[in-house]
Amino acid sequence: MVQLQVVPDDRRERARDRKRRRFLAAAGRVIDERGLAGLTMQAVAEELDCAVGTIYTYFDSKAALLAALQAEAVETLVASYRTAAASWDPVLDEGEGLDPGLRALVHLQAFGAFFCAASVVLADEFHLQRLLLSERPPGSSAVDQRRPMAVLERLFEIPRSLVDAAVACDVLEPGDTLERVVRWLAALDGVLLLDALAGVDRHLFRGQHHGRALTADLLVGWGADRADVEVAASHVDRLAAVGPLAPPPHGPGYE
């Protein structure tokens, strides 16, 4: 009897999740075609040829729909980073290995390099996280305005831990970690826009090159020794030679 009750509920939940994902995929296509300003519940309904009221049973507002879409994008970015990072320590352990301080700098610069690579490899997800840091959330209610914060906290989670680890190793001076991470990711989001000008001057407007240089400059500004930062950068080059810095994610939900 218990089994007969559980299975249908589980089936209904899976069906609901599939429909929710269809709405999110359609919302992503609308943003691709019309930009964030063109994202409306009606536009999503038209994309799927369904009643707009159906969407409201899953998302109570455009802000809720966008926040869910951005949360999914950030989870994909996080999963991609973790997939890449899982292979880094064995490479860094080759030979005599690295001392903890230098290893912390390598991981910081590797994250910056991952972020730059993701702007190309995971372009849709990257665009959605960029909107988190550059566009005012839709909707005027206090709830709508607060929705992105939980997604932002997830986005900041990994770089915060990396900055804290470097401070603990005394390779960075103590400081406000959250402020540093906000400044770092917002600056990378901005400098990577230079890729759009590659057709003007392919050498000058290299977003990923400038992004990695920006990370190095910030680390020096936060107290790291320039020579150590340069050595760490050479190790990131080793990691990039072993495998993609922003690979397709692996793990639950990404098989």
Side-chain angles (χ1 to χ4, degrees):
M1 293 294 294
V2 172
Q3 184 67 14
L4 288 175
Q5 292 174 353
V6 170
V7 170
D9 286 345
D10 183 57
R11 191 174 297 141
R12 280 194 294 270
E13 188 59 35
R14 290 200 303 271
R16 182 175 176 82
D17 184 62
R18 284 195 298 271
K19 186 169 283 189
R20 180 178 180 277
R21 289 182 176 278
R22 283 185 64 224
F23 291 142
L24 291 175
R29 292 194 297 272
V30 170
I31 292 175
D32 288 342
E33 295 169 5
R34 313 183 193 181
L36 183 58
L39 177 64
T40 65
M41 301 300 237
Q42 185 61 46
V44 175
E46 291 171 359
E47 178 73 19
L48 292 172
D49 194 22
C50 71
V52 69
T54 305
I55 304 174
Y56 279 103
T57 64
Y58 289 79
F59 305 99
D60 59 22
S61 66
K62 170 182 171 177
L65 176 62
L66 179 61
L69 194 61
Q70 290 172 320
E72 192 173 73
V74 167
E75 287 304 321
T76 299
L77 292 171
V78 167
S80 174
Y81 170 81
R82 294 201 183 284
T83 297
S87 66
W88 292 345
D89 278 328
V91 175
L92 299 178
D93 286 337
E94 292 174 359
E96 297 181 0
L98 305 178
D99 66 72
L102 185 56
R103 184 181 293 263
L105 287 177
V106 171
H107 278 288
L108 279 166
Q109 293 200 79
F111 177 84
F114 154 78
F115 200 79
C116 293
S119 70
V120 176
V121 180
L122 301 167
D124 290 341
E125 290 82 1
F126 190 88
H127 176 63
L128 283 165
Q129 73 75 31
R130 178 182 277 149
L131 291 177
L132 275 167
L133 291 169
S134 61
E135 296 279 347
R136 180 174 178 171
S140 56
S141 73
V143 172
D144 286 339
Q145 293 300 303
R146 286 197 302 269
R147 285 187 195 275
M149 198 59 215
V151 186
L152 285 168
E153 287 173 354
R154 179 62 169 155
L155 177 65
F156 298 154
E157 192 175 292
I158 291 170
R160 285 184 77 170
S161 69
L162 296 176
V163 171
D164 283 339
V167 171
C169 291
D170 293 325
V171 293
L172 295 184
E173 296 171 355
D176 188 317
T177 302
L178 181 57
E179 241 187 46
R180 286 176 170 178
V181 167
V182 169
R183 196 175 304 146
W184 184 16
L185 298 193
L188 284 174
D189 274 335
V191 80
L192 288 168
L193 290 171
L194 289 172
D195 282 333
L197 296 174
V200 177
D201 188 322
R202 196 158 45 104
H203 178 75
L204 180 61
F205 299 113
R206 293 177 294 161
Q208 295 197 42
H209 165 77
H210 290 297
R212 290 185 63 172
L214 171 70
T215 293
D217 289 343
L218 283 173
L219 294 179
V220 172
W222 296 338
D225 180 80
R226 173 68 73 176
D228 289 341
V229 168
E230 290 174 355
V231 171
S234 69
H235 286 287
V236 174
D237 290 335
R238 285 176 57 212
L239 300 178
V242 170
L245 291 173
H250 296 308
Y254 298 100
E255 291 84 356

